Amino acid sequence: MKPKPTFVAFILAVTGLVVAIVFFEHASPDHAQNRDFVALLAARRSLDQTVVQHALEARFALAANYDQLASDDLNLRRLQLEGSAFLPKFLRGAERLGIERDLDRYGALADRRRLLLERFKSKNALLRNSISYFPSLAADLVRRARDPALVARVNDLRAQTLNLALQTNRGVSDSQRDSVRAVATLMAASADASERRGLELMLSHARVIASEKEQTDGLLQQILALPIDEARKEVSACYQDAYLRATSRASKFGSFVSALSVLLLVLVAYAGLRLRRAAAELGRYNERLETAVSERTAELNQEMARRAQMEIELRQAQKLESVGQLASGIAHEINTPIQYVGDSIHFLRDAFADFTRVLDAYRAGLAGAEANGVVLLPFEAAREVEEELDLPAMKSEVAQAFELTLDGTKQVAHIVSAMKSFAHTSVDKAPTDLNAAIENTLIVARNEYKYVAELELELGELPEVTCNAGGIRQVVLNLLVNAAHAISDVVDKSGERGLIRIRTEVQGSDVVVSITDSGGGIPEAVAPRIFDPFFTTKPLGKGSGQGLAISRSIIEQHAGKLWFETTAKGTTFFIRLPLETEERDPFTPAERDGLEPSAPNGATAPGPL
Amino acid sequence: VAACLLLSACGKEERVFLPTGPDVIRPSTGPIAPIEPPSKLDPQRVSLGASLFTDVRLSANGRMSCASCHDLSHAGADAVPHSIGVRGAALALNTPTVFNSALNFRQFWDGRASNLEEQIEGPLLNPAEMGSTWEKVLKLLREDGKLAARFEQSYGERPSRASVTDAIATFERSLSTPDAPFDRYIAGDKQALSASAAHGYELFTGYGCSSCHQGQGVGGNMFQKLGVMADYFAARGNETEADLGRYNITHQEADRHVFKVPSLRNVARTAPYFHDGSVARLDEAVRVMARFQLGRDLEAADVNDLAAFLESLTGVYQGRSL
């Protein structure tokens, strides 16, 4: 589902390229610019017409001054088309160059017209100057002339010249030339200097009129012949074409841009969607990660707790082992003297019996002598001592004492034997007589319960159970001590003695040991936590909170189960152990099970001394 | 990007373009039209231009201003045939008046400047005249906090080439002299002219003077050759390069000795006369014109009447006749 980076880069590059092309090509004609340019062309057209009209008006004296033409010139300069300053920006490339070329041509023609117009104004002014002056000049000559022929010639020249001035399509006529020639002849013949000067001035003005008229009209013709309208129309037509093309192109690009925009929006939307999906996936992944981390943390915590537990167990085991070794040593030390104490008491009892027999024989002899009347005075004192000591009573008491002593030594030997067997703290498993192990434990723990409870044993017939006898004894001891404590809590209040019942039985392939006390039961609030390490309800210093935790751990190592049932009248702890434990202890190789049944287990059988 | 493209596809910015410049010259039917005083001039810019007009910082030596030659108290010109430039040398041509210069269709005697804005740079940068540079002028003007503040107010920018030129040109457009007696005369006040001046006007049109000297400016709207009926420069002698006139611009033989026809407004106050300042008196100037442009020597009475008419072209500036 993940697109390759090269593909993404390709898409981006293509999009960027398209956007760039569109950006540079997308030049929709600016309507305002177009409107202005078209208006400018229209204004120029109007001015192109009026400037010629005003020139014609000036030529025929319809306009008295050049203010109109000056105004046209100013307006033409103001509405400058030349150059590209006002060219709409959408025009580009060849189109723009073409229109610029057309505009340059039009501009050059306009410049040419401006030059011709200025010349025209000057020439026309001279023409007008002479035309204005001519009638008064002629009138002056006529007024002063004495020769009627001169008057006629002057009037003729005036008429011919002014007539000429009014004709735009005709050159100097023959009659005008004749008239000039006639006036010239008269001037040459004139004797009056002032009249000659007047005629000369008239002739020169007539020449000015003729030449300036020709030049003026020539300039006007040139101006009218300028293909300026055509040039402007060319600009206009080219521009119209370009505008139409640009409009259609822009509309095409507009649709393209719209399409591209939509495409981009879709792409963006798609990218957004993908991003969202990716974010969601990331969120889920994070959740999973968190779960995994918390699970791992929990595992770690469990593992750490387990390690701590194992460490505690190991230490406990080590402690027990050393205590056991100590106890074993002590037991061994006691065992030897108690044996010869026992042997000596046996011997003393037998010896006393022998002495009693001797004494009895002496006494019988004495009694026979007395009965024969022999009074042996020295025996009187012995008789008195005998009577004083109540020998017969002493005899039975001594026998009793011996029995008691023997019992005691037998008990001591029993304890020592139990101690020796209890102190055997090997973690190895071996076929074990559970009942014997329980009994040994009871002996060791006797002091814990004998003041608060009666003990009731219901030990059933059990096969040997492959187990770690030390561990099981530790569990039973723990439960026994707890039971005694539970009862003592109650006993302290009621003053009665409680009852501890221990039962063993085979249930299917399991052995179940139950230890029931008549204590106050386990409160409901506490019940779920009693197997937690370090949990204890006992006063500070009385319990470590480890007992039940370790016990459960030990039983679980045997693939067994430790649980309890409790009421307000007491609690029963159950130990269920499989007869054949599957090896659960990772520290012990499984095959050792098969190797060990023959291992010596003398310590588990508390035999008589 | 998509949004931008959409916007650019749809949005169109409105652009307004309106060429600016002096008012369109009003057409008139007679040869001479009364002066239309300028309107719509920004008073702040006029006042700013007036300050610049007399500002000596516009010259290289800091002693000349526009007003040094175009003395408003001397009808917008000076009394000498050739003004003295910043180098102390006389200039080639006579200084024309600045009054009504906005009515001229081109500026300078040879018409090389299209408008006042173009004209202003001429004397400013001409080494013989004020001889300064824009760099220097603008630096000095920008250092003047008060002046710079006025520019900021009027143009929204510190003094620049464009704003300085515009201010001076705007001021010069304000230098209009309407209300000449002749303007009142053609407006219908027949008492405005003396009989002599009225006769002078008849002569002015009858002799054809008004062929060139016409319009609002009584001249100033066309070019004409000096010496139509006789060779002015041969008669005067010492022909200089400046005497070539428009030829110096176009290099066309037809433009030799061609000058812009000067306005005759306030002509009675702007002696000396002609492009060379060669004539000191008005009546003499009338005679010279008649001789070289008309081909005749005028009688004293006619000259007197023509001068009287020309006197009537003296207008009013700031309530006072020049």
Side-chain angles (χ1 to χ4, degrees):
Chain A
M1 195 57 200
K2 229 181 237 179
K4 284 173 189 155
T6 47
F7 178 69
V8 170
F10 176 73
I11 289 286
L12 279 179
V14 167
T15 312
L17 195 68
V18 168
V19 165
I21 289 169
V22 166
F23 184 78
F24 285 111
E25 282 301 314
H26 167 63
S28 167
D30 183 316
H31 295 307
Q33 281 184 14
N34 173 58
R35 191 190 59 212
D36 289 345
F37 191 72
V38 169
L40 194 59
L41 279 174
R44 287 293 297 218
R45 191 186 63 194
S46 162
L47 278 170
D48 283 341
Q49 287 166 353
T50 55
V51 75
V52 172
Q53 186 197 326
H54 288 151
L56 286 167
E57 283 177 10
R59 167 66 182 83
F60 295 107
L62 291 171
N65 60 44
Y66 289 141
D67 279 354
Q68 290 266 26
L69 277 172
S71 164
D72 292 340
D73 184 53
L74 183 70
N75 287 332
L76 280 168
R77 270 187 287 134
R78 198 186 285 176
L79 301 181
Q80 193 73 255
L81 259 177
E82 295 77 1
S84 53
F86 297 126
L87 262 186
K89 302 235 180 329
F90 73 84
L91 292 167
R92 273 202 301 268
E95 271 177 0
R96 192 179 186 90
L97 284 175
I99 289 177
E100 276 176 4
R101 207 166 42 235
D102 290 343
L103 273 177
D104 284 349
R105 184 162 162 269
Y106 172 73
L109 286 166
D111 284 346
R112 174 81 186 141
R113 182 179 59 194
R114 175 173 295 147
L115 188 81
L116 291 172
L117 269 172
E118 289 311 325
R119 295 248 169 85
F120 163 78
K121 276 159 74 183
S122 304
K123 296 293 177 191
N124 188 53
L126 292 180
L127 179 62
R128 296 242 65 82
N129 182 23
S130 291
I131 291 173
S132 308
Y133 183 42
F134 212 65
S136 64
L137 184 61
D140 208 23
L141 279 167
V142 167
R143 194 173 63 244
R144 283 193 248 169
R146 283 176 297 260
D147 181 1
L150 180 77
V151 171
R153 286 298 168 198
V154 165
N155 279 334
D156 184 48
L157 180 61
R158 190 189 67 165
Q160 291 282 351
T161 306
L162 291 179
N163 192 34
L164 170 73
L166 288 171
Q167 309 293 323
T168 53
N169 52 355
R170 266 207 343 237
V172 179
S173 66
D174 288 344
S175 56
Q176 213 241 348
R177 274 193 209 99
D178 290 345
S179 183
V180 168
R181 228 174 280 126
V183 171
T185 315
L186 283 174
M187 184 192 77
S190 176
D192 185 348
S194 105
E195 187 180 77
R196 214 161 48 231
R197 271 204 309 280
L199 287 170
E200 196 188 341
L201 191 59
M202 189 174 179
L203 281 172
S204 64
H205 274 285
R207 273 193 298 273
V208 165
I209 287 172
S211 93
E212 296 301 319
K213 184 244 168 210
E214 204 181 330
Q215 289 187 49
T216 304
D217 287 350
L219 286 164
L220 210 51
Q221 290 301 326
Q222 281 187 57
I223 290 167
L224 289 169
L226 285 175
I228 201 158
D229 285 328
E230 287 76 2
R232 195 195 54 247
K233 278 173 188 160
E234 182 71 22
V235 171
S236 216
C238 281
Y239 175 74
Q240 285 294 335
D241 283 354
Y243 178 73
L244 286 175
R245 275 198 302 275
T247 311
S248 81
R249 198 171 54 213
S251 84
K252 246 186 282 176
F253 270 111
S255 348
F256 186 55
V257 165
S258 305
L260 189 70
S261 311
V262 169
L263 185 72
L264 278 176
L265 283 175
V266 166
L267 275 175
V268 166
Y270 174 68
L273 205 66
R274 294 215 37 163
L275 207 62
R276 256 189 64 176
R277 254 189 242 157
E281 208 167 296
L282 199 67
R284 279 200 297 278
Y285 179 74
N286 273 341
E287 264 172 39
R288 278 209 300 276
L289 197 67
E290 272 169 32
T291 315
V293 165
S294 62
E295 278 172 7
R296 186 83 190 100
T297 310
E299 277 172 21
L300 269 174
N301 286 341
Q302 271 180 1
E303 178 62 19
M304 278 165 71
R306 206 170 68 82
R307 292 269 167 119
Q309 176 98 21
M310 272 160 53
E311 202 177 315
I312 289 159
E313 284 168 23
L314 192 64
R315 230 178 283 150
Q316 188 71 14
Q318 284 169 343
K319 207 156 75 183
L320 282 172
E321 197 174 353
S322 57
V323 168
Q325 279 166 357
L326 191 66
S328 177
I330 293 166
H332 185 71
E333 289 304 316
I334 294 169
N335 203 30
T336 311
I338 208 71
Q339 275 195 16
Y340 62 72
V341 167
D343 291 349
S344 301
I345 287 168
H346 272 285
F347 168 74
L348 282 175
R349 188 184 63 181
D350 294 349
F352 182 70
D354 290 346
F355 272 117
T356 311
R357 223 160 72 221
V358 171
L359 188 61
D360 284 346
Y362 277 110
R363 283 180 69 199
L366 196 59
E370 276 183 358
N372 291 325
V374 180
V375 177
L376 297 168
L377 279 176
F379 286 102
E380 278 306 310
R383 193 181 299 271
E384 279 171 21
V385 173
E386 193 190 314
E387 280 172 6
E388 194 185 336
L389 289 175
D390 190 6
L391 202 62
M394 191 176 76
K395 223 170 84 182
S396 71
E397 280 174 5
V398 167
Q400 255 185 328
F402 275 124
E403 285 310 310
L404 275 174
T405 307
L406 277 174
D407 273 358
T409 51
K410 206 188 269 179
Q411 212 169 335
V412 167
H414 198 50
I415 289 168
V416 166
S417 168
M419 272 174 75
K420 278 173 81 178
S421 95
F422 194 85
H424 183 79
T425 54
S426 165
V427 293
D428 295 343
K429 285 175 183 156
T432 305
D433 181 353
L434 266 187
N435 288 341
I438 290 166
E439 282 168 346
N440 280 339
T441 307
L442 289 174
I443 293 162
V444 173
R446 189 180 163 78
N447 197 48
E448 292 288 337
Y449 61 82
K450 64 177 179 187
Y451 299 113
V452 293
E454 298 292 335
L455 200 62
E456 204 176 290
L457 286 176
E458 293 178 32
L459 302 179
E461 282 290 314
L462 298 180
E464 287 195 329
V465 177
T466 306
C467 65
N468 172 5
I472 300 301
R473 277 198 294 270
Q474 195 183 339
V475 174
V476 174
L477 177 65
N478 268 325
L479 296 178
L480 204 58
V481 168
N482 282 349
H485 286 167
I487 291 164
S488 76
D489 287 347
V490 180
V491 165
D492 280 350
K493 291 168 197 163
S494 67
E496 292 170 14
R497 278 167 70 88
L499 178 73
I500 294 173
R501 184 188 294 121
I502 298 177
R503 292 169 56 116
T504 60
E505 59 179 329
V506 175
Q507 289 185 356
S509 58
D510 299 329
V511 174
V512 176
V513 180
S514 62
I515 297 165
T516 307
D517 66 63
S518 59
I522 298 167
E524 207 176 316
V526 170
R529 297 177 59 200
I530 59 165
F531 290 113
D532 291 353
F534 305 105
F535 178 82
T536 182
T537 56
K538 295 170 185 168
L540 195 67
K542 210 173 175 189
S544 66
Q546 296 292 317
L548 283 173
I550 292 169
S551 298
R552 171 169 268 195
S553 166
I554 290 167
I555 298 304
E556 283 174 355
Q557 278 173 28
H558 287 80
K561 202 180 163 196
L562 174 65
W563 77 100
F564 65 92
E565 290 169 2
T566 183
T567 64
K569 290 185 176 171
T571 306
T572 304
F573 277 87
F574 298 93
I575 301 166
R576 180 187 289 273
L577 288 173
L579 288 172
E580 293 296 325
T581 45
E582 280 179 33
E583 190 52 64
R584 278 197 70 206
D585 188 352
F587 299 109
T588 311
E591 53 268 29
R592 286 185 67 179
D593 245 0
L595 296 174
E596 296 249 327
S598 58
N601 64 341
T604 58
L609 293 175
Chain B
V1 172
C4 286
L5 281 172
L6 270 178
L7 276 179
S8 75
C10 307
K12 286 277 163 276
E13 69 178 286
E14 280 294 317
R15 192 178 66 93
V16 179
F17 106 82
L18 282 173
T20 57
D23 294 344
V24 173
I25 297 166
R26 287 278 212 84
S28 65
T29 48
I32 296 171
I35 284 183
E36 297 265 351
S39 59
K40 296 188 291 184
L41 294 180
D42 181 343
Q44 278 190 344
R45 293 183 182 188
V46 169
S47 135
L48 197 50
S51 304
L52 293 170
F53 197 78
T54 55
D55 199 324
V56 291
R57 286 174 293 197
L58 266 60
S59 65
N61 63 359
R63 285 197 219 127
M64 280 184 80
S65 70
C66 305
S68 301
C69 299
H70 299 285
D71 185 353
L72 296 191
S73 65
H74 202 277
D78 54 12
V80 294
H82 296 277
S83 307
I84 306 300
V86 77
R87 287 175 171 175
L91 305 180
L93 294 169
N94 179 253
T95 302
T97 177
V98 70
F99 278 110
N100 301 312
S101 55
L103 294 179
N104 291 335
F105 84 131
R106 309 281 160 86
Q107 302 296 335
F108 296 119
W109 280 102
D110 54 17
R112 64 179 181 273
S114 289
N115 52 39
L116 287 170
E117 284 82 355
E118 270 180 54
Q119 183 275 336
I120 285 157
E121 286 196 343
L124 188 77
L125 306 182
N126 186 342
E129 298 187 43
M130 295 168 90
S132 195
T133 62
W134 275 117
E135 198 184 6
K136 202 177 147 193
V137 168
L138 293 179
K139 183 174 177 287
L140 286 169
L141 296 184
R142 283 167 185 169
E143 279 169 4
D144 182 343
K146 261 173 133 178
L147 191 75
R150 289 170 68 192
F151 266 95
E152 200 65 49
Q153 203 182 354
S154 287
Y155 290 97
E157 60 168 44
R158 56 186 193 156
S160 71
R161 184 174 160 176
S163 53
V164 167
T165 346
D166 185 81
I168 296 174
T170 306
F171 168 65
E172 288 174 343
R173 290 201 174 91
S174 77
L175 297 176
S176 168
T177 61
D179 272 341
F182 179 74
D183 289 338
R184 298 203 298 276
Y185 177 75
I186 55 172
D189 180 5
K190 296 301 165 195
Q191 305 302 310
L193 291 195
S194 64
S196 166
H199 184 239
Y201 175 51
E202 279 175 36
L203 292 174
F204 190 77
T205 53
Y207 283 158
C209 308
S210 64
S211 298
C212 293
H213 294 283
Q214 32 67 41
Q216 272 192 64
V218 200
N221 63 4
M222 62 178 286
F223 297 114
Q224 191 52 280
K225 182 175 177 164
L226 177 54
V228 177
M229 304 304 285
D231 191 336
Y232 172 86
F233 296 96
R236 193 201 69 191
N238 295 325
E239 191 174 331
T240 65
E241 199 190 332
D243 288 332
L244 292 173
R246 241 181 114 60
Y247 178 86
N248 290 328
I249 312 301
T250 66
H251 303 289
Q252 303 243 331
E253 198 49 46
D255 286 326
R256 185 180 291 270
H257 301 145
V258 168
F259 295 89
K260 180 186 70 186
V261 173
S263 164
L264 294 183
R265 292 275 175 190
N266 307 307
V267 69
R269 301 285 175 272
T270 58
Y273 298 109
F274 304 128
H275 73 282
D276 53 9
S278 58
V279 173
R281 290 174 54 88
L282 186 59
D283 51 359
E284 178 61 16
V286 170
R287 279 195 191 94
V288 168
M289 274 285 107
R291 191 176 308 135
F292 291 99
Q293 302 301 91
L294 202 60
R296 71 173 285 174
D297 293 312
L298 294 181
E299 285 164 27
D302 287 351
V303 170
N304 193 43
D305 288 350
L306 279 166
F309 160 68
L310 293 176
E311 281 273 1
S312 78
L313 291 173
T314 301
V316 173
Y317 176 64
Q318 293 185 338
R320 285 172 60 188
S321 172
L322 294 185

